[in-house]
Amino acid sequence: MKITLSLLLILLSFSGVKCQSMESLETAVQKKPGETLSLSCRGSGFTFSSYSMHWIRQQAGKPLEWMGRVWGSGSGNDYSKSFQGRIEITRDNSNSMVYLKLSGVTVEDSAVYYCARQAQ
C-alpha cells in the first residue's frame, strides 16, 4: 500500500510590488508505510531568518493540523505532541529553506502538507 502525500504552494501576502511566497520542491510524494517523509520549502520576498517557519497539514475531510515550527535562528523547535518522537523540522537560512522529516509514516499521514511563515 502506498501513501500519497501532497504539498501545495502557499502565497503568504503581498507588500507593495514585493511578493512574499513559499515554494515547494515537491508536489506529490508516495511513501510506503514505515518510511520517512521528507519535504522542503523555500521562502522568498522576506527576511527569512527573522521568522519562525511552521509545517501544517490537512487530512481529507479534517481541519488543518499544526505540526510544529523551527525558530528563525534555527536554534530550537516546538512540536505538536501528536508528532513527538517522529518529527524533525530544520532550516537553512542561507538558502531560505525549511525542511520537514516525518518518520514511520502510516496511511493516517496521507494529507496535504503546508509550510507557512510566522505572522509578524
Side-chain angles (χ1 to χ4, degrees):
M1 178 182 299
K2 289 189 177 178
I3 302 165
T4 301
L5 307 150
S6 299
L7 180 66
L8 295 186
L9 306 181
I10 302 174
L11 182 63
L12 292 177
S13 62
F14 287 97
S15 176
V17 294
K18 189 174 185 181
C19 179
Q20 299 177 354
S21 66
M22 302 305 300
E23 170 193 7
S24 80
L25 302 187
E26 304 86 5
T27 52
V29 179
Q30 286 195 335
K31 290 290 177 187
K32 294 177 183 175
E35 291 183 338
T36 296
L37 166 68
S38 296
L39 296 175
S40 51
C41 189
R42 178 182 289 117
S44 64
F46 61 97
T47 306
F48 190 77
S49 60
S50 297
Y51 297 89
S52 291
M53 296 298 298
H54 298 253
W55 284 94
I56 299 156
R57 76 177 187 183
Q58 189 167 29
Q59 297 165 299
K62 294 190 177 179
L64 290 168
E65 179 178 26
W66 178 79
M67 301 177 73
R69 70 170 176 169
V70 59
W71 304 346
S73 62
S75 62
N77 304 82
D78 298 300
Y79 297 131
S80 165
K81 289 182 181 177
S82 307
F83 301 99
Q84 288 282 358
R86 65 187 198 107
I87 188 174
E88 181 183 19
I89 300 175
T90 57
R91 67 190 297 152
D92 174 1
N93 284 338
S94 62
N95 291 303
S96 300
M97 296 290 298
V98 62
Y99 305 97
L100 169 69
K101 282 190 179 180
L102 188 65
S103 60
V105 297
T106 69
V107 230
E108 275 67 52
D109 294 311
S110 295
V112 177
Y113 288 77
Y114 301 91
C115 64
R117 189 196 82 179
Q118 178 87 25
Q120 279 187 314

